[in-house]
Amino acid sequence: MSTSDSTDERPNEPTDEEVVQTAAEAAEGLIFSRYKQSNVRDLDVTVSFEDGVLEVDVYLNAPERDSGTDPEEVADEAARVAREAVDDLFGE
């Protein structure tokens, strides 16, 4: 006897909420590994996951002199790290 229930088809798939949380935490983790929290003037991490499509947008306003790195480069890297974290989440 088998059941064809949508929850039974992919029991190990993370929820949309888990995907969004994982991506956001990864992005913020990278940023705060590069900058002291008190030196970050503004940070906005926007993550959406709908119909299997992940979108990550990171805005960072921080002084360049703090880490010697361009804040835009750090924001881009944070978005990449967020996507990689979600890839790892699905790979488990």
Side-chain angles (χ1 to χ4, degrees), residues 22-37 40 43 45 58 60 66-67 69-85:
T22 297
E25 288 174 357
E28 289 176 4
L30 177 95
I31 289 167
F32 291 123
S33 75
R34 303 286 171 84
Y35 291 96
K36 292 179 183 177
Q37 190 168 359
V40 174
L43 171 64
V45 178
V58 178
L60 173 64
D66 187 50
S67 68
T69 305
D70 179 13
E72 285 186 37
E73 290 177 12
V74 174
D76 289 343
E77 186 176 354
R80 280 192 300 275
V81 165
R83 287 188 288 273
E84 290 170 4

Side-chain angles (χ1 to χ4, degrees), residues 6 13 17 32 77 90:
S6 64
E13 290 278 321
E17 183 177 323
F32 291 123
E77 186 176 354
F90 278 98

Side-chain angles (χ1 to χ4, degrees), residues 33-77:
S33 75
R34 303 286 171 84
Y35 291 96
K36 292 179 183 177
Q37 190 168 359
S38 61
N39 289 342
V40 174
R41 295 177 192 128
D42 192 16
L43 171 64
D44 183 34
V45 178
T46 305
V47 181
S48 66
F49 184 69
E50 294 180 24
D51 300 322
V53 177
L54 177 69
E55 291 188 31
V56 180
D57 185 41
V58 178
Y59 169 76
L60 173 64
N61 182 350
E64 189 170 327
R65 69 182 189 284
D66 187 50
S67 68
T69 305
D70 179 13
E72 285 186 37
E73 290 177 12
V74 174
D76 289 343
E77 186 176 354

Side-chain angles (χ1 to χ4, degrees), residues 7 16 19 21 44 48-49 63 82 89 91:
T7 58
D16 291 358
V19 170
Q21 183 175 350
D44 183 34
S48 66
F49 184 69
L89 183 65

